[in-house]
Amino acid sequence: MVSVTTAIALLFVGCGESKVAQCNKVINVANQASTLGQEFSKNPHPAKGSKALTELAGKIDPLAKEMKALEIKDEKLQGFQGRFLTLYQDISKELNNAATAIDKKNLPAAKGFLVSLKESSTQESSIVSEINSYCSSK
């Protein structure tokens, strides 16, 4: 059993950073973003109104920058990285837009932005499923 583990470890150490290590980098940032979303949905701070949305956007922006800064060599993972980056940038923009709409008492627009956020959540689930499948394959 130990020799099999050692052989597998040597395969991953081979040339440069392993697929597993690169997967872990992308997944780590994605998990941080997901945790933010989950925490917000459990305790959305309705009393704070638009401020809560802009605060959440302010927490997502650094994660988008962190995702962008990852050095990923695997082409497929670069695709996931780009999709996550676009998703986080879109979510941040939608949060800020929803906050602005709420501040202007434009409830139809605010609802529209919140619907877009729900769609983004669905996209995130899809990307997470795809990357998990890719990272768990040989």
Side-chain angles (χ1 to χ4, degrees), residues 87-105:
L87 178 70
Y88 299 151
Q89 290 169 335
D90 290 348
I91 288 172
S92 178
K93 181 180 171 186
E94 294 297 327
L95 286 167
N96 285 317
N97 288 341
T100 300
I102 289 169
D103 287 341
K104 292 181 176 180
K105 309 271 189 261

Side-chain angles (χ1 to χ4, degrees), residues 38-124:
Q38 290 170 4
E39 288 172 358
F40 183 81
S41 65
K42 286 181 188 173
N43 190 12
H45 307 288
K48 286 186 174 181
S50 64
K51 186 177 180 195
L53 298 175
T54 54
E55 286 176 3
L56 181 58
K59 291 176 182 177
I60 291 174
D61 287 338
L63 292 177
K65 288 179 181 142
E66 187 177 341
M67 182 65 79
K68 184 176 184 176
L70 293 177
E71 292 186 29
I72 303 297
K73 303 290 185 223
D74 183 287
E75 285 185 27
K76 184 90 169 166
L77 286 173
Q78 287 174 348
F80 290 122
Q81 178 186 23
R83 288 170 64 193
F84 275 122
L85 177 60
T86 299
L87 178 70
Y88 299 151
Q89 290 169 335
D90 290 348
I91 288 172
S92 178
K93 181 180 171 186
E94 294 297 327
L95 286 167
N96 285 317
N97 288 341
T100 300
I102 289 169
D103 287 341
K104 292 181 176 180
K105 309 271 189 261
N106 186 348
L107 296 183
K111 282 185 178 183
F113 293 126
L114 295 175
V115 167
S116 294
L117 284 170
K118 281 190 176 193
E119 290 170 5
S120 294
S121 174
T122 302
Q123 286 178 3
E124 181 186 33

Side-chain angles (χ1 to χ4, degrees), residues 1-19:
M1 183 69 164
V2 172
S3 61
V4 171
T5 306
T6 304
I8 292 171
L10 289 173
L11 282 173
F12 286 124
V13 173
C15 355
E17 194 171 40
S18 72
K19 173 183 162 183

Side-chain angles (χ1 to χ4, degrees), residues 19 23 74 76-77 80 129-137:
K19 173 183 162 183
C23 282
D74 183 287
K76 184 90 169 166
L77 286 173
F80 290 122
S129 177
E130 290 175 45
I131 194 170
N132 284 339
S133 176
Y134 177 72
C135 289
S136 65
S137 68

